[in-house]
Amino acid sequence: MTQSLDISHAANADRASCVKENLAGIGFDALKKTLEDRGIEPKKVNMRARQLWRWVYHYGVRDFSGMTDIAKAQRAEFEDWFELKRPEITEALVSVDGTRKWLIEYGPNTEAETVFIPDVGRAGALCVSSQVGCTLNCSFCHTGTQKLVRNLTAAEIVRQVMVARDALEEWPTSNENRKLTNIVFMGMGEPLYNLDNVAEAIDTISHNEGISFGRRRITVSTAGVAPLIPELGRRTNAMLAISLHATNDDLRNELVPINKKYPLKELFEAIREYPDLGNSKKVTFEYVMLKGVNDSVAEAKDLLRLLRGTPAKINLIPFNPWPGSQYECSDWETIENFAEVLNRAGYSSPIRTPRGRDILAACGQLRSESVKQKASDRRKAELAAKAAAEGTAAE
């Protein structure tokens, strides 16, 4: 007897003309909707969605033939309709310290960087990008020198996690011996200027039947888009990080220009509205150490006054140099003295060990060449030049 499928005759007739949809990165509600649109029987939509979800996000499969609890005929239908495609990696670099950076292509002249940092959090952290480029123009940040190309979609954000888990061989999902335990939205772009897609991506990567990252292991960093900070907390329940870097408006206006729009008073009013703050859910304040700019003991004391009443920890970040920067990193003794002031006041204030500097993967160094020349084109040009040089030498 011929095995029946979960689709209507009309949908079956039309399926050949349908464009394949990529399920890698899709959200659960969107997955159910696309199954409904393809003609799956309504009473079976939720079941089929959960089956597909688990194969895509728990097992990380890249071929429908591996979905062994789905009938072969139904798998064939899915293969006609869908694909499980990862984005193209145009450049993959590994630092001497084990940090890994991927330059990922999302379309013509559209690339963003993603960085895996080992030995951060419980085991390792993935720094994901939310935009290609940035609008904020923070003066110490290499990414800020690249104009905004566009927001990344929720699926494109999720695929960064999938690319990393592919490389780290983290499929199927397990809570034991994970190499990647934390997600930080600290890559290219301002996440709150792409909040809808960031929130949807967090829903996908935190889903307990898939990639399954706890929301307390997901941190979203903002330069200070004050009106959207409470909304971020309500929609995502993620941990909050603030890219602070200065203790007064005059200096912060220079270092983080968005401060001109949302000065420190307004920023801290918004922070205090973030849901569920307390000893078990503190705000992380990121403070890059710039020699002779913001690194004095007096400024450490000003920082204490600024943070009073806010459950907080402070990450002190030695400045990571990049080509053309006007700043230098503070001396190590200066950083330690700054940290000591904070520690004596009872604040956790670790000094972040610079990671991935040799491949420009450290904090503040990310910058794709999307607005100039794609990495794939650069590589082709380099190979052509090499071939031409070898031909000349042979002559």
Side-chain angles (χ1 to χ4, degrees):
M1 183 174 69
T2 303
Q3 187 171 15
S4 64
L5 301 178
D6 297 345
I7 57 174
S8 68
H9 293 297
N12 189 37
D14 292 339
R15 64 182 171 81
S17 63
C18 292
V19 176
K20 285 191 175 185
E21 183 174 356
N22 191 0
L23 297 189
I26 194 171
F28 189 73
D29 289 341
L31 176 57
K32 289 199 296 183
K33 177 67 165 55
T34 197
L35 289 175
E36 291 169 359
D37 292 344
R38 296 285 182 166
I40 294 291
E41 293 179 31
K43 67 181 180 181
K44 292 188 177 181
V45 165
N46 193 65
M47 177 195 71
R48 289 301 186 204
R50 290 191 177 280
Q51 284 178 317
L52 287 169
W53 185 270
R54 188 163 175 78
W55 284 113
V56 173
Y57 292 122
H58 177 77
Y59 290 102
V61 299
R62 303 172 76 167
D63 190 323
F64 288 95
S65 64
M67 299 182 177
T68 53
D69 65 346
I70 300 175
K72 287 184 179 180
Q74 188 63 66
R75 277 183 259 162
E77 291 292 343
F78 288 155
E79 192 154 11
D80 283 344
W81 295 342
F82 306 125
E83 60 185 4
L84 301 169
K85 189 177 180 181
R86 307 297 198 258
E88 182 181 351
I89 299 172
T90 53
E91 193 171 60
L93 299 174
V94 181
S95 168
V96 293
D97 62 28
T99 299
R100 304 177 69 160
K101 181 173 79 169
W102 298 276
L103 181 62
I104 299 175
E105 181 177 335
Y106 292 107
N109 298 320
T110 308
E111 295 172 321
E113 294 185 328
T114 302
V115 176
F116 170 70
I117 311 154
D119 306 316
V120 172
R122 202 171 74 195
L126 187 70
C127 182
V128 299
S129 294
S130 56
Q131 297 178 310
V132 177
C134 191
T135 60
L136 298 183
N137 300 313
C138 297
S139 60
F140 59 87
C141 180
H142 199 199
T143 309
T145 66
Q146 177 181 334
K147 292 180 180 179
L148 179 68
V149 177
R150 69 168 173 84
N151 286 339
L152 291 174
T153 67
E156 288 169 336
I157 294 169
V158 173
R159 287 175 202 147
Q160 294 175 57
V161 181
M162 300 179 80
V163 162
R165 296 193 73 182
D166 288 343
L168 297 170
E169 299 180 343
E170 290 274 79
W171 308 107
T173 297
S174 170
N175 289 325
E176 301 296 327
N177 301 317
R178 279 196 186 187
K179 299 174 186 174
L180 174 56
T181 57
N182 293 68
I183 304 293
V184 293
F185 284 78
M186 297 181 184
M188 298 170 63
E190 167 52 61
L192 297 197
Y193 281 152
N194 189 19
L195 180 54
D196 287 344
N197 286 314
V198 166
E200 184 180 340
I202 290 174
D203 287 343
T204 300
I205 62 181
S206 65
H207 194 291
N208 62 6
E209 293 181 31
I211 295 175
S212 192
F213 279 93
R215 291 177 185 260
R216 291 291 181 96
R217 295 206 170 269
I218 300 171
T219 301
V220 179
S221 176
T222 175
V225 187
L228 295 178
I229 287 174
E231 182 181 348
L232 169 71
R234 290 191 296 270
R235 293 179 65 177
T236 70
N237 200 28
M239 304 299 284
L240 175 66
I242 302 293
S243 189
L244 187 63
H245 314 303
T247 61
N248 62 78
D249 283 325
D250 287 342
L251 179 56
R252 197 163 191 269
N253 289 346
E254 176 187 333
L255 298 179
V256 188
I258 196 175
N259 194 75
K260 297 174 185 176
K261 188 172 185 179
Y262 306 116
L264 288 168
K265 182 177 184 296
E266 186 174 348
L267 173 60
F268 274 81
E269 287 172 353
I271 290 169
R272 293 186 185 103
E273 292 180 21
Y274 201 78
D276 304 320
L277 288 184
N279 287 333
S280 63
K281 190 176 182 181
K282 297 179 179 181
V283 181
T284 297
F285 289 90
E286 298 156 338
Y287 196 95
V288 66
M289 302 299 296
L290 302 171
K291 187 174 184 177
V293 176
N294 64 352
D295 59 356
S296 69
V297 168
E299 280 159 313
K301 293 177 180 178
D302 287 341
L303 180 57
L304 292 176
R305 284 189 284 271
L306 186 63
L307 299 184
R308 188 175 295 135
T310 304
K313 60 180 180 179
I314 304 103
N315 275 345
L316 299 179
I317 306 169
F319 173 68
N320 296 300
W322 44 268
S325 171
Q326 61 181 303
Y327 299 107
E328 296 179 37
C329 181
S330 303
D331 299 329
W332 198 255
E333 183 180 356
T334 299
I335 298 175
E336 289 183 328
N337 289 339
F338 196 101
E340 180 61 22
V341 173
L342 304 178
N343 289 331
R344 283 201 308 267
Y347 287 93
S348 172
S349 51
I351 301 170
R352 186 183 295 175
T353 302
R355 305 294 295 271
R357 278 181 169 178
D358 56 313
I359 58 171
L360 291 180
C363 182
Q365 290 185 321
L366 300 189
R367 185 187 192 279
S368 78
E369 297 298 324
S370 293
V371 295
K372 291 186 176 180
Q373 184 183 31
K374 291 181 2 181
S376 54
D377 293 336
R378 294 196 304 273
R379 189 164 63 248
K380 290 175 185 176
E382 290 166 1
L383 291 173
K386 182 179 179 181
E390 290 173 349
T392 302
E395 293 174 2

